[in-house]
Amino acid sequence: MLNMIAGQKAKFTDIGIAQQFTLIAELTAGATVIDVACFGLDGQQKLVSDDYMVFYNQPKTPCGAISWQLTASQQRFDIDLSKLPDSVDYLVLTATIDGQSTMRELGTSHVMLEQAEQILATYTFDGSAFDSERAIMLLQVYRKNEVWRINAIGQGFNGGLSALVTHFGGEVADDEAADKSLEENKVTQAQNSFDHNPISPSKSQPFNLKKVTLDKPGSEHRINLTKGGNDHLVVEAIWTDNGDASANNDDLDLRVGILAQNGKEMSYIHAPEQIGSLTAMPYLQHQGDIKVASINEPGKETVLVNPDIAKHYGGKVALVFSVYSAVSNGAVSIASLQPKMRMKYQDQVIECVFNIKASPKAKSSFVYTYVIGIAIIDEDGITLQHSGETSKRGSEATPKLTWKGDKVGLKIDGAAMFKLS
């Protein structure tokens, strides 16, 4: 085992590290909360995109190369370098401390590299190396001359989490307020401004430190609507390249089913045939069909929702959001595309992320539909629920809702709808 000191570097080949390993942070700070994050950076050591900051509130990258989990005393990052896009040259493990505490209060702490349940490298430190810093750059995994290496950084950083994001080239929404408390230290992509124009898939948007992630069926969160507000609700279905070297089967289609509480029949929007309208029924509008994803640019289809939709329908409205992989796309599993749903309204952001344990049927290339979320909208707000339901093998049935009092039931047994182009 390699016992590292601050500033020490080593090649993976010299210590027997392969492309699959785990970085473990074991930090001692009493009752103080410490958040550990892993940043994926490009060759200029700038954040590749907001999807490549992994921590408790965004536990996985779209490509599946980095995933976070918490145990009793450790924060663990499982890493597979073979799945990383070529644009990622650095992985930097960082720690930030809650409130007004400083890193000087740390007891003996460790960062370890584990492979096949064996510790191959460890970096041990304590608070004596720091003064008033509230963050640390702990460890760096980086690529130089096509060889991966490890570097024990051990560098204190005066700012908190938002300052680290800015240091790595990200933009933090409401940065001053974001430093006030732990609850505001939730790093994520947030919306800039919403109007009648489609959201550009390639436009970088500022991080909002208030995002909520849902990853279990039935888990839910409430978004509050602003009375008289003109901002649209933005819903994005996002998926990644499945890594099979084919560009023909990385196409998912976002479909939305609508059922008013006082209605009897569902209506649907999907692109390009039935995109809907923001100013007339159904008060939703699909922003266009996206047919491809790449390892560097996830696929993303967007739907805008009129915030007064419940008022226009005269009561609560239920929406079911699903992604569909057409039979004509060829053999591909929805699980391999890692679909997630992002709902944004002003500075409120909720993501429903894919969970293979909740949706094991999605591993089959004969399962074509995956429900990413269900929303119930009234005049005061939206309750978004994680679903994870899938269609039956070989079925092209469409998700269908039924009202049961103030709640909705879901069955995937509606009439099939085929994409015509």
Side-chain angles (χ1 to χ4, degrees):
M1 181 179 71
L2 176 65
N3 291 305
M4 305 185 76
I5 61 173
Q8 184 175 355
K9 302 176 181 179
K11 295 180 180 179
F12 274 24
T13 50
D14 290 343
I15 51 179
I17 304 173
Q19 290 197 315
Q20 296 177 338
F21 56 91
T22 300
L23 294 179
I24 304 168
E26 194 172 83
L27 306 179
T28 305
T32 303
V33 176
I34 297 182
D35 295 316
V36 181
C38 182
F39 289 84
L41 311 178
D42 62 18
Q44 286 69 51
Q45 299 194 48
K46 298 300 182 183
L47 193 62
V48 172
S49 80
D50 64 312
D51 288 325
Y52 283 85
M53 178 182 171
V54 178
F55 68 130
Y56 71 93
N57 212 24
Q58 183 164 271
K60 194 171 186 178
T61 58
C63 63
I66 312 168
S67 60
W68 171 93
Q69 60 178 316
L70 177 68
T71 65
S73 61
Q74 299 175 340
Q75 297 187 53
R76 302 171 63 91
F77 295 81
D78 294 321
I79 296 172
D80 186 344
L81 297 177
S82 67
K83 293 182 179 180
L84 276 179
D86 292 339
S87 57
V88 178
D89 290 309
Y90 293 83
L91 301 177
V92 180
L93 204 66
T94 69
T96 53
I97 200 162
D98 183 27
Q100 299 305 310
S101 300
T102 69
M103 291 298 178
R104 189 169 184 82
E105 300 168 36
L106 282 176
T108 302
S109 301
H110 311 276
V111 179
M112 297 164 281
L113 189 150
E114 179 186 85
Q115 180 177 284
E117 300 184 355
Q118 180 182 1
I119 302 297
L120 298 186
T122 185
Y123 165 50
T124 300
F125 58 95
D126 59 35
S128 63
F130 310 105
D131 189 9
S132 60
E133 298 96 329
R134 293 177 50 226
I136 309 173
M137 296 184 197
L138 296 167
L139 194 77
Q140 182 184 75
V141 170
Y142 66 104
R143 177 166 43 194
K144 182 179 180 181
N145 299 328
E146 301 306 316
V147 176
W148 285 98
R149 306 159 192 251
I150 187 172
N151 176 17
I153 303 176
Q155 178 184 339
F157 199 88
N158 284 328
L161 190 54
S162 61
L164 276 173
V165 175
T166 303
H167 174 77
F168 290 131
E171 180 185 353
V172 180
D174 196 15
D175 185 68
E176 183 176 340
D179 267 334
K180 290 182 179 179
S181 71
L182 175 66
E183 285 306 310
E184 292 170 339
N185 279 343
K186 318 296 187 191
V187 173
T188 183
Q189 183 180 37
Q191 89 192 79
N192 279 333
S193 59
F194 298 130
D195 52 29
H196 290 273
N197 297 319
I199 303 300
S200 169
S202 60
K203 183 173 178 60
S204 177
Q205 300 189 26
F207 290 99
N208 181 322
L209 305 181
K210 299 179 183 178
K211 188 188 75 173
V212 174
T213 299
L214 306 178
D215 63 356
K216 295 180 178 62
S219 57
E220 62 181 44
H221 188 78
R222 177 86 170 168
I223 284 179
N224 296 316
L225 293 172
T226 301
K227 291 290 186 181
N230 295 318
D231 297 319
H232 295 126
L233 177 69
V234 178
V235 180
E236 299 166 333
I238 304 166
W239 66 95
T240 189
D241 185 291
N242 65 4
D244 66 356
S246 172
N248 298 324
N249 60 358
D250 298 322
D251 180 16
L252 289 178
D253 298 309
L254 172 61
R255 292 176 169 173
V256 186
I258 307 106
L259 182 63
Q261 192 172 26
N262 55 9
K264 295 182 179 179
E265 297 293 332
M266 291 193 67
S267 57
Y268 295 89
I269 67 166
H270 50 94
E273 300 88 13
Q274 192 70 34
I275 64 169
S277 170
L278 285 167
T279 57
M281 290 292 184
Y283 297 99
L284 298 88
Q285 187 177 74
H286 203 298
Q287 300 300 294
D289 184 25
I290 302 298
K291 299 182 179 181
V292 69
S294 71
I295 201 70
N296 294 318
E297 184 67 54
K300 178 163 64 177
E301 292 194 4
T302 303
V303 166
L304 301 183
V305 183
N306 187 316
D308 290 327
I309 185 173
K311 181 178 179 181
H312 290 304
Y313 275 87
K316 289 184 178 179
V317 180
L319 308 177
V320 55
F321 300 90
S322 63
V323 287
Y324 164 76
S325 176
V327 177
S328 59
N329 286 347
V332 62
S333 72
I334 289 175
S336 71
L337 300 174
Q338 295 290 305
K340 68 178 179 180
M341 171 183 178
R342 180 180 294 150
M343 177 178 282
K344 302 185 288 189
Y345 179 74
Q346 296 179 350
D347 66 347
Q348 301 170 85
V349 183
I350 307 175
E351 284 190 354
C352 293
V353 298
F354 184 79
N355 181 346
I356 190 59
K357 293 181 179 179
S359 307
K361 294 178 182 178
K363 291 187 291 186
S364 169
S365 58
F366 297 100
V367 170
Y368 308 127
T369 295
Y370 170 79
V371 179
I372 48 180
I374 297 172
I376 298 177
I377 306 180
D378 55 47
E379 293 190 30
D380 296 319
I382 306 111
T383 300
L384 179 64
Q385 302 171 351
H386 186 286
S387 175
E389 291 286 339
T390 62
S391 57
K392 295 179 181 178
R393 285 171 57 91
S395 170
E396 300 230 304
T398 302
K400 191 174 180 181
L401 298 173
T402 55
W403 278 97
K404 300 178 179 178
D406 286 332
K407 299 184 180 298
V408 293
L410 168 70
K411 289 186 178 180
I412 306 181
D413 61 359
M417 295 187 299
F418 296 94
K419 183 177 176 181
L420 301 179
S421 62

